[in-house]
């Protein structure tokens, strides 16, 4: 009997849904201008399918304060907005719970909105997870972020390196082209020199041949005259 109860208990534990960890994502830090609006994103990862009982909640803790207040809650398929707190009539739910999106939109921002916003989500039976926080900083003029400066420096360095490489290969090409043109001109001068020497030697050879022909004809005439005298 005890063995039977043990087996039944093990089977019930295996069949019953077990809770797993849920991972929640928000941004790290957001900047905005006074009078503008900003979307604060919140999503989650869960091994389960998106439950119909999925919930989202947002808390807000102003800068310099230790206590936070609840400003938004989504449960039972309905959003519940803050109607009495600092975001009264300025907060809007723009997420899609079935796509695991619990984002909110805050309008008409003010310096007093600076603080930390924390999002928590549940996807039953996955309800164990650490809430994620994003800090909001409101300015009258957006500052240049350190990441932008670093990216600009890296881009300038990379551009300089590319320019140096292009100049290097361009110089190599120009030098090779110059060497090739010089070698071609040298070969051309040698060929012209040979042709000129042949042209200069040509008249001398013709003159020598003419003189030899004249001598041969003169000797032939002498032979013919000597033959006539003998007769």
């Amino acid at each position: 009997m005890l063995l039977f109860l043990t087996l039944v208990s093990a089977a019930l534990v295996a069949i019953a849904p077990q809770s797993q960890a849920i991972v929640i994502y928000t941004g790290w830090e957001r900047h905005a201008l006074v009078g503008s609006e900003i979307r604060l994103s919140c999503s989650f990862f869960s091994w389960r399918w998106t439950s119909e009982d999925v919930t989202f909640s947002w808390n807000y803790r102003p800068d310099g304060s230790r206590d936070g207040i609840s400003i938004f809650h989504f449960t039972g398929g309905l959003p519940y907005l803050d109607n009495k707190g600092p975001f009264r009539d300025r907060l809007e739910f723009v997420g899609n719970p079935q796509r695991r999106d619990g984002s909110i939109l805050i309008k008409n921002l003010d310096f007093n909105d600076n603080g930390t916003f924390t999002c928590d989500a549940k996807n039953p039976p996955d309800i164990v997870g650490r809430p994620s926080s994003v800090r909001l900083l409101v300015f009258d003029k957006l500052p240049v972020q350190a990441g932008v400066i670093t990216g600009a420096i890296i881009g300038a360095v990379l551009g300089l390196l590319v320019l140096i490489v292009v100049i290097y290969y361009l110089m190599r090409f120009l030098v090779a082209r110059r060497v090739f043109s010089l070698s071609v001109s040298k070969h051309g001068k040698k060929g012209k020199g040979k042709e000129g020497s042949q042209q200069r030697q040509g008249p001398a050879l013709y003159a020598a041949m003419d003189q030899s022909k004249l001598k041969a004809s003169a000797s032939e005439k002498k032979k013919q005259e000597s033959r006539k005298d003998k007769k």
Side-chain angles (χ1 to χ4, degrees), residues 83-226:
N83 293 324
K84 297 181 180 180
F87 301 103
R88 180 179 61 255
D89 300 329
R90 296 195 295 134
L91 192 148
E92 180 182 351
F93 179 60
V94 292
N96 187 342
Q98 292 304 313
R99 294 187 177 181
R100 305 184 176 189
D101 182 6
S103 301
I104 58 174
L105 183 72
I106 301 177
K107 305 175 182 178
N108 194 19
L109 291 171
D110 189 74
F111 291 115
N112 295 326
D113 297 333
N114 287 332
T116 302
F117 294 79
T118 302
C119 176
D120 193 11
K122 308 293 183 186
N123 186 39
D126 293 349
I127 58 175
V128 180
R130 178 179 297 178
S132 181
S133 299
V134 54
R135 190 179 180 206
L136 174 63
L137 297 175
V138 181
F139 301 92
D140 57 351
K141 183 183 297 185
L142 286 179
V144 179
Q145 299 182 4
V148 175
I149 298 175
T150 304
I153 294 173
I154 294 174
V157 172
L158 291 177
L160 182 60
L161 290 176
V162 170
L163 180 61
I164 291 172
V165 172
V166 170
I167 292 174
Y168 170 74
Y169 281 103
L170 180 61
M171 293 299 294
R172 286 190 60 180
F173 171 75
L174 292 176
V175 170
R177 185 176 179 182
R178 179 63 178 169
V179 171
F180 177 76
S181 61
L182 288 175
S183 62
V184 170
S185 64
K186 286 181 180 179
H187 287 298
K189 288 180 180 180
K190 288 181 180 179
K192 290 181 179 179
K194 289 181 180 179
E195 291 178 357
S197 62
Q198 289 177 358
Q199 290 177 359
R200 288 193 298 270
Q201 291 175 1
L205 291 173
Y206 290 138
M209 290 175 64
D210 291 338
Q211 289 180 1
S212 62
K213 288 181 179 180
L214 291 172
K215 289 180 180 180
S217 62
S219 61
E220 186 66 27
K221 286 180 179 180
K222 288 180 180 180
K223 288 180 181 180
Q224 290 178 359
E225 290 176 356
S226 63

